[in-house]
Amino acid sequence: MRENVNVAALAASAEEIHRMAAKVAVKRRGRPRKTEQPKSVAILQAALAAFAGHGFDGTNLRQIATEAEIDVALIPHQFGSKLGLWRAVVDDIAERTLPDFRSIIERGSPETSAGETLQLAMARMIDHLCDTPQLAMFVVNEVGEQGERFEYVYDRLVRPMHDLLLPPIRAAHASGAIKDVNPDFFFATFTAAISMTVVMRPFIARFSSHAKKEQAFRRELKRALLAVGFA
C-alpha cells in the first residue's frame, strides 16, 4: 500500500497555513510583470493558498474567486479550467523562484567557496519557504499524491531546482565542505527537510517555543540543517 503523507498533523498544519494565508497576502518581490494583470496576480495568490490549504480536490473555483474578489467566470476565461489554473500556479512559482537561486549561484566569486555558496542557497530556500509557507504545503501535497500533477511539479520546479543546485552541491562535496553523502541524495533530503519543517511548524510549536517566533524559527532551522549537512 502506498504511503500517504496527509496524516492528521499535516492536515492541522494545512488549516493553520490556510488561516495565515487568509490574513496576509502572499509576499512578492517587486512589481507584477508587465504582461501580468493585477487580477491575475490576485487569482494566483488566492489559488496557491487554496490548493495548499485544501488540496486540489478540496478546492473549488468559487472559493478562489471569493478570496481574489473577482467574478468566478474570470477564472475559466483566463485559465480554462481548475487544472489550467493549478498549472498556472506551478508556472508562476517556477518563474519567480528559479531566477532567485540562479542569481545566488552565478554571483559566486573566486573568494567564495563552494560550501559558502551552497549555504547561501540553503539559507535563501529557508527564507523563501518561511515567507510563503503555502508553497511548502502545496509541494508536499503533490509529492504525497505522486500522480500526474506531481509529474508537472517535478518537470517545472523540482528538476530545474535540482539541476541548479547540484553543481554547487558536488563542488562542496568535492572540497569536503559537506559530509560524505551522495550529492543527489543530499539535494533530496535537505529540500524535503526544509519543506516538511515549515509545513509542520504549527505542530512543532506545541513543544518548541522557537517555532512560535518568526526569526527564532528561521534561525534554528538554519542552524539545524547546516549542522547536520556540513562537515
Side-chain angles (χ1 to χ4, degrees), residues 33-45:
R33 296 186 294 271
K34 290 182 180 180
T35 57
E36 196 173 55
Q37 298 300 318
K39 286 184 179 179
S40 296
V41 174
I43 294 171
L44 291 171
Q45 289 178 350

Side-chain angles (χ1 to χ4, degrees), residues 64-223:
I64 294 172
T66 299
E67 289 291 333
E69 298 182 342
I70 52 101
D71 189 321
V72 68
L74 185 60
I75 297 178
H77 174 73
Q78 288 196 12
F79 302 98
S81 64
K82 183 167 78 168
L83 181 58
L85 174 58
W86 180 90
R87 286 176 174 165
V89 169
V90 177
D91 293 343
D92 184 63
I93 292 169
E95 290 169 10
R96 294 181 182 278
T97 302
L98 295 174
D100 193 13
F101 288 90
R102 187 176 294 112
S103 68
I104 291 174
I105 295 167
E106 292 176 349
R107 277 202 312 265
S109 66
E111 293 76 28
T112 305
S113 70
E116 289 170 337
T117 298
L118 182 57
Q119 286 180 328
L120 287 172
M122 290 178 67
R124 179 67 194 109
M125 184 173 290
I126 290 171
D127 286 332
H128 184 63
L129 292 180
C130 285
D131 285 341
T132 55
Q134 307 95 327
L135 172 55
M137 177 60 79
F138 180 87
V139 174
V140 167
N141 282 343
E142 297 306 332
V143 170
E145 291 296 327
Q146 290 286 307
E148 182 180 348
R149 292 194 310 276
F150 168 72
E151 293 301 325
Y152 194 84
V153 172
Y154 177 82
D155 289 339
R156 294 287 290 130
L157 184 61
V158 177
R159 186 70 197 194
M161 183 67 75
H162 167 274
D163 293 345
L164 268 177
L165 295 182
L166 192 61
I169 293 174
R170 284 175 171 166
H173 179 263
S175 70
I178 62 175
K179 297 177 180 179
D180 189 16
V181 62
N182 177 271
D184 291 295
F185 197 84
F186 182 91
F187 168 82
T189 53
F190 89 68
T191 52
I194 295 170
S195 299
M196 286 301 298
T197 305
V198 170
V199 167
M200 297 294 286
R201 181 179 172 183
F203 172 73
I204 296 170
R206 294 189 175 193
F207 53 83
S208 173
S209 61
H210 292 298
K212 298 177 181 179
K213 300 176 182 178
E214 184 62 35
Q215 292 306 314
F217 176 73
R218 296 183 190 221
R219 183 185 66 246
E220 292 304 308
L221 181 52
K222 290 174 184 177
R223 284 177 175 174

Side-chain angles (χ1 to χ4, degrees), residues 11-21 202:
S13 294
E15 288 302 317
E16 179 65 23
I17 287 173
H18 183 67
R19 285 193 291 271
M20 291 165 60

